Amino acid sequence: MVKLAIRGAGGKSGGGGGHESDDTLFSNAYIELVEAVSEGEIAGLLLGSQSVYLDSVPITAADGTQNHQCAWDQRFGLQSQAAFTAIQNVSAELAIGVEVQVDVPHTEIIDDTSADYAVVTMGFPRMMTIDGSGNVNGARVEFKIECQDTGTTGSPYVLVSRNTQRTVGGYDGGHDYYASPAYAFSAEIHINSNSGDPVAILYSTDGGTFTALETVEMVANSGLFYWWQWPYSATTVVNFDEGQYYLRLPANSSVVWYSFTAAANAVVDGKCGSRYQKQYRFPLAGVGPWSVRVTRITPTSTSAKLSDQVFVDSLRTETAVRLIYPNTALVYLKLLAKEFGNPPARRYLLKGIKVLVPDNYDPMGRSYAGLWTGGFKVAWTDNPAWCFYDLCTNTRYGLGNYISPSDIDKWALYKIAQYCDGLVDSGRRTDGGAVVYEPRFTLNVQIKDGIDAYTLLKNLASVFRGMAYVVNGLVTASCDMPSDPVKLFTPANVVNGAFEFTGSGGVARKSVALVQWADPFDHYNLKVEYVPDRAKIARYGVNNDEVVAFGCTSRGQAHRLGKWILIDGETVTFSVGHDAALVKPGDIIQCMIPLRNQGKRLGGRVKSIDGSTVVLDSPITLMAGHRYMLYVAL
């Protein structure tokens, strides 16, 4: 496993006129994460490390400045994808926090018989002693860690604690690598560079075949390092399974190796004014379960002048398995813990999951080449129509086990998708005053909360101001967009020729729309777009209508939705015969109503057509000097 180490000094205490020696015990701390960010396959992080935000600060700024020293990697969520090189095992940790007394050993049981290794983390709150002159120095404490295979009858406790040694690595120019001592488990690496480009660390177990271990982001230096012609540097710690290792690094690097000695009582000798932690890792031999026992050898202090408490802070089990998490997009992070008081909040700017789109469609250019023959290809898009299609047909995370592609009206979606890709005024202007155009509708959302399928389909359809329904056995989507009328209704084809109109009262008429959307210029925090109708406010007062724009990351799109919401109209109700059964939800119709045309009858039925002569079911009077349009729905 690859880990980052932090070196930090504990504070000093004063008083008494004596001398206090410097701290000599320092804890290594790092934060290592593997996070599932999406179903797969995705297009990936939009701008690499610039798209990884830690506490709202990107790893790399737009100008290339490194804000955090860390290593990262990503997997796109393929069915077969490589495991992260840095992650060698799967672990589970149990917090303990129990002090070990000299006559009271502490024992823990490991029930997981599939575990391969155990790691005991020992904690030392303070290690110091005060002599008769008031001088503050370090302290020494000895203890041992033993393990017993309780699954094997008669198995004794075996000493598993070992001490470590620190070896400065020399560069072997003849073989182009740094060689570790035997039983190495960790290496502290420092890299200097004239370039701010990320640096790859390569490793090998035989000195011949090297593979990438991790890529480290370089951090800009200041002061002495800069004047020594090293404007960039990075420090990282890599941990391995115990063995012999070789590292290949760029020039101007240095390595300090950490390796184990033979099994022996553990000794901690030094000074720390704040909590110091040390880990002891050992293999779990036998069949298990196992009993792990920690025994203090040094007598427990009874003097206020000697602080040498020993705690078992935690017990971690590790299973040597490398998981690939198929069809799951992942991001790996390794961070310096000293940069954060707590694990930072993480955000990732992703080009999300790839979906099926028409094979004549260019998602980046938002253009369609020629006629579409109905074929598809896989690509990333934020067009809500094709996201709708993907959710309906995907068999893993969508409704594909219930709806087949032949059950979707893809031709209707094709028209809607073209309407979504149409460029409109975004409401923004360039510095020169030119109009900035944007697609009419886009969808950018992470669907992670539990929601029923039909509600989700309705939410997706709402992005393009539409609805989803089933007609003639096909799942169909409609969109409120300009189109030709599909049917003409007049008293001649309406039961009793009766049209009923319904309007809304003044109190119910909304005059202000408050549209909630996610602002990409403010880390996608939710904002509210205020859309007023001045004329309605003057007549009816302020009457708010609050709405959440699903998947909306454009202020212009949110504003257009608010204007659409504030459109008022009347509802007309009438009854028809079977000849109107072909009208679908969302279709545009025309109504020729005598009451709205000064009692004139401007519609009816066609009795016959002879060439350009149309015979109507009733005579009409055409006034001279007026232009008339005849609509005929066949």
Side-chain angles (χ1 to χ4, degrees):
M1 181 179 289
V2 182
K3 303 180 180 179
L4 282 181
I6 289 65
R7 290 199 166 198
K12 296 184 178 180
S13 59
H19 170 74
E20 179 175 353
S21 61
D22 293 334
D23 281 2
T24 58
L25 300 176
F26 305 96
S27 295
N28 293 333
Y30 70 96
I31 302 171
E32 193 173 37
L33 302 166
V34 175
E35 294 195 286
V37 295
S38 174
E39 280 275 351
E41 174 190 7
I42 67 170
L45 292 168
L46 184 62
L47 296 172
S49 58
Q50 294 183 33
S51 301
V52 180
Y53 293 83
L54 306 177
D55 286 339
S56 300
V57 178
I59 292 177
T60 305
D63 61 1
T65 301
Q66 296 300 317
N67 297 316
H68 301 286
Q69 182 174 307
C70 71
W72 66 275
D73 201 354
Q74 63 177 320
R75 295 293 182 265
F76 300 98
L78 301 175
Q79 173 65 31
S80 177
Q81 59 187 0
F84 288 115
T85 306
I87 305 300
Q88 302 289 333
N89 52 59
V90 177
S91 62
E93 189 160 8
L94 172 67
I96 300 174
V98 174
E99 183 179 1
V100 182
Q101 303 286 348
V102 67
D103 297 323
V104 186
H106 181 74
T107 302
E108 290 286 339
I109 302 298
I110 298 177
D111 293 322
D112 183 4
T113 57
S114 66
D116 298 302
Y117 294 89
V119 180
V120 177
T121 300
M122 304 297 296
F124 309 87
R126 298 178 71 190
M127 290 288 290
M128 60 178 60
T129 182
I130 304 175
D131 62 21
S133 300
N135 298 316
V136 181
N137 298 301
R140 183 184 186 277
V141 65
E142 183 178 352
F143 57 94
K144 64 180 179 180
I145 303 175
E146 300 168 294
C147 183
Q148 179 189 39
D149 176 18
T150 61
T152 301
T153 303
S155 176
Y157 273 101
V158 177
L159 184 66
V160 293
S161 55
R162 294 181 290 176
N163 293 296
T164 61
Q165 56 188 5
R166 183 176 185 270
T167 306
V168 177
Y171 185 71
D172 189 337
H175 296 88
D176 193 27
Y177 55 60
Y178 293 80
S180 76
Y183 311 116
F185 64 89
S186 180
E188 181 180 331
I189 304 167
H190 185 79
I191 302 170
N192 294 315
S193 175
N194 288 317
S195 168
D197 297 335
V199 173
I201 296 175
L202 307 179
Y203 86 112
S204 171
T205 57
D206 58 12
T209 303
F210 285 82
T211 57
L213 182 59
E214 68 174 41
T215 300
V216 179
E217 301 286 346
M218 304 298 290
V219 177
N221 285 320
S222 60
L224 291 177
F225 279 107
Y226 182 80
W227 293 113
W228 288 344
Q229 298 182 350
W230 304 127
Y232 299 92
S233 68
T235 298
T236 186
V237 169
V238 293
N239 285 4
F240 310 99
D241 287 334
E242 180 182 339
Q244 175 82 46
Y245 292 93
Y246 307 86
L247 293 179
R248 178 171 291 166
L249 305 170
N252 313 315
S253 302
S254 62
V255 178
V256 175
W257 295 100
Y258 295 89
S259 56
F260 287 116
T261 63
N265 290 346
V267 175
V268 174
D269 189 357
K271 176 181 174 294
C272 62
S274 57
R275 194 177 196 86
Y276 166 66
Q277 288 184 318
K278 191 170 184 179
Q279 292 184 337
Y280 296 85
R281 184 173 186 264
F282 52 91
L284 294 171
V287 298
W290 297 272
S291 174
V292 178
R293 183 173 67 186
V294 180
T295 305
R296 179 178 174 127
I297 307 298
T298 302
T300 304
S301 171
T302 58
S303 171
K305 294 184 177 181
L306 174 61
S307 298
D308 63 351
Q309 287 179 292
V310 177
F311 281 78
V312 179
D313 280 354
S314 66
L315 173 64
R316 184 172 77 240
T317 57
E318 297 180 350
T319 303
V321 58
R322 300 179 68 192
L323 303 179
I324 66 172
Y325 303 100
N327 301 314
T328 303
L330 308 168
V331 173
Y332 165 77
L333 289 175
K334 187 177 71 173
L335 314 172
L336 290 173
K338 70 178 181 181
E339 294 190 20
F340 309 95
N342 295 297
R346 285 89 56 200
R347 289 187 177 184
Y348 307 99
L349 183 57
L350 300 171
K351 293 182 70 174
I353 196 163
K354 294 182 178 181
V355 301
L356 292 174
V357 300
D359 52 13
N360 68 332
Y361 178 46
D362 176 12
M364 296 297 99
R366 301 184 184 277
S367 60
Y368 298 80
L371 296 176
W372 183 40
T373 59
F376 286 94
K377 63 181 180 182
V378 176
W380 177 86
T381 181
D382 58 2
N383 189 308
W386 300 125
C387 295
F388 180 95
Y389 181 85
D390 177 73
L391 195 66
C392 286
T393 58
N394 191 281
T395 57
R396 192 173 71 252
Y397 55 81
L399 298 173
N401 293 319
Y402 309 97
I403 303 174
S404 68
S406 60
D407 295 329
I408 307 292
D409 188 350
K410 60 185 178 182
W411 310 106
L413 284 173
Y414 188 75
K415 293 180 181 179
I416 294 173
Q418 289 178 307
Y419 185 65
C420 292
D421 280 326
L423 297 181
V424 296
D425 186 349
S426 67
R428 294 180 284 116
R429 299 293 182 265
T430 64
D431 293 338
V435 176
V436 177
Y437 291 94
E438 67 179 9
R440 182 176 282 106
F441 302 119
T442 58
L443 174 69
N444 293 284
V445 67
Q446 183 183 27
I447 302 171
K448 58 182 180 179
D449 298 324
I451 185 173
D452 67 89
Y454 183 61
T455 299
L456 182 56
L457 288 181
K458 290 196 299 182
N459 289 341
L460 286 175
S462 72
V463 177
F464 47 78
R465 300 201 299 254
M467 66 180 75
Y469 58 92
V470 178
V471 61
N472 298 328
L474 295 179
V475 176
T476 305
S478 67
C479 174
D480 186 6
M481 60 183 180
S483 63
D484 294 329
V486 300
K487 189 71 174 178
L488 175 65
F489 291 98
T490 72
N493 58 358
V494 170
V495 176
N496 297 324
F499 294 87
E500 296 182 4
F501 294 90
T502 303
S504 59
V507 176
R509 298 195 177 187
K510 305 298 183 180
S511 58
V512 174
L514 302 176
V515 184
Q516 190 178 88
W517 62 291
D519 187 357
F521 298 104
D522 187 22
H523 305 289
Y524 292 87
N525 290 317
L526 296 180
K527 298 291 183 65
V528 174
E529 177 68 5
Y530 175 81
V531 185
D533 186 322
R534 305 296 180 186
K536 288 185 178 180
I537 292 176
R539 184 171 181 180
Y540 305 112
V542 175
N543 192 5
N544 295 333
D545 191 2
E546 299 181 10
V547 64
V548 176
F550 185 79
C552 177
T553 57
S554 162
R555 182 179 181 182
Q557 183 174 326
H559 193 86
R560 293 191 295 275
L561 175 60
K563 294 177 66 176
W564 181 77
I565 290 173
L566 294 179
I567 296 175
D568 280 332
E570 289 180 302
T571 301
V572 59
T573 304
F574 51 90
S575 300
V576 296
H578 294 295
D579 60 336
L582 295 179
V583 179
K584 302 186 296 296
D587 282 345
I588 303 298
I589 63 172
Q590 281 188 325
C591 295
M592 292 297 182
I593 305 169
L595 181 62
R596 296 301 176 92
N597 296 285
Q598 299 177 345
K600 298 178 181 178
R601 187 173 186 271
L602 298 179
R605 295 179 177 271
V606 174
K607 294 181 64 177
S608 63
I609 298 178
D610 184 9
S612 60
T613 302
V614 178
V615 179
L616 304 179
D617 63 344
S618 177
I620 60 172
T621 301
L622 304 181
M623 300 188 61
H626 290 266
R627 183 182 180 188
Y628 293 86
M629 179 73 71
L630 178 64
Y631 291 92
V632 179
L634 301 177

